[in-house]
Amino acid sequence: MFAMAAAPVIEVFKSESCGCCAAWVDHLKANGFAPKVSNVANPSDYRERGGIPNELGSCHTAMVQGYAIEGHVPASDIKRLLAEKPKAKGLAVPAMPLGSPGMEGPRKDPFDVLLVQANGKTKVFKHYN
């Protein structure tokens, strides 16, 4: 499936008080990533730097191998992104859908992982029911 010599380092920018962000970081660790977490005053500044449109915003932004990862993106989709290396800004899961990694709860809502293309437009990278 997906083998790497070393765990990919993923930089996560989040607000200090966010518990769901910490749960997402645990999801990354459990799936072979090496998260480097920074608590920052305005995580949205990092979303902007990564080229992710504000309407796709969530509670944290991460950077891995030149890609921006916005919100509760499953580790499997990040691995696929790194394997396929599309010309894109990154991936986003807008808002904070229940049932996404780090947002486990009483129900699982359907959600889309969006590929944010180089021109800023999006397309569905993966749909979850």
Side-chain angles (χ1 to χ4, degrees), residues 49-73:
R49 286 182 203 163
I52 303 295
N54 271 334
E55 61 269 18
L56 302 180
S58 185
C59 52
H60 56 262
T61 302
M63 298 299 294
V64 60
Q65 296 180 14
Y67 290 107
I69 307 296
E70 180 67 23
H72 294 267
V73 176

Side-chain angles (χ1 to χ4, degrees), residues 35-121:
K36 180 182 165 207
V37 179
S38 299
N39 290 319
V40 296
N42 295 306
S44 61
D45 292 349
Y46 295 87
R47 174 171 57 243
E48 192 176 306
R49 286 182 203 163
I52 303 295
N54 271 334
E55 61 269 18
L56 302 180
S58 185
C59 52
H60 56 262
T61 302
M63 298 299 294
V64 60
Q65 296 180 14
Y67 290 107
I69 307 296
E70 180 67 23
H72 294 267
V73 176
S76 58
D77 294 318
I78 300 170
K79 290 177 180 181
R80 180 180 149 207
L81 176 78
L82 298 179
E84 294 178 2
K85 296 186 180 354
K87 286 191 184 341
K89 295 182 185 296
L91 297 175
V93 171
M96 297 163 63
L98 278 177
S100 60
M103 289 295 296
E104 292 83 2
R107 66 175 200 265
K108 285 188 169 206
D109 292 343
F111 68 94
D112 290 328
V113 176
L114 301 174
L115 178 70
V116 182
Q117 299 171 104
N119 64 6
K121 293 185 177 172

Side-chain angles (χ1 to χ4, degrees), residues 7 9 11 18 20 26-27 33-34 64 73 77 80 86 89 94 96 98 122:
V9 173
E11 291 185 89
C18 190
C20 65
D26 291 342
H27 166 76
F33 285 91
V64 60
V73 176
D77 294 318
R80 180 180 149 207
K89 295 182 185 296
M96 297 163 63
L98 278 177
T122 61

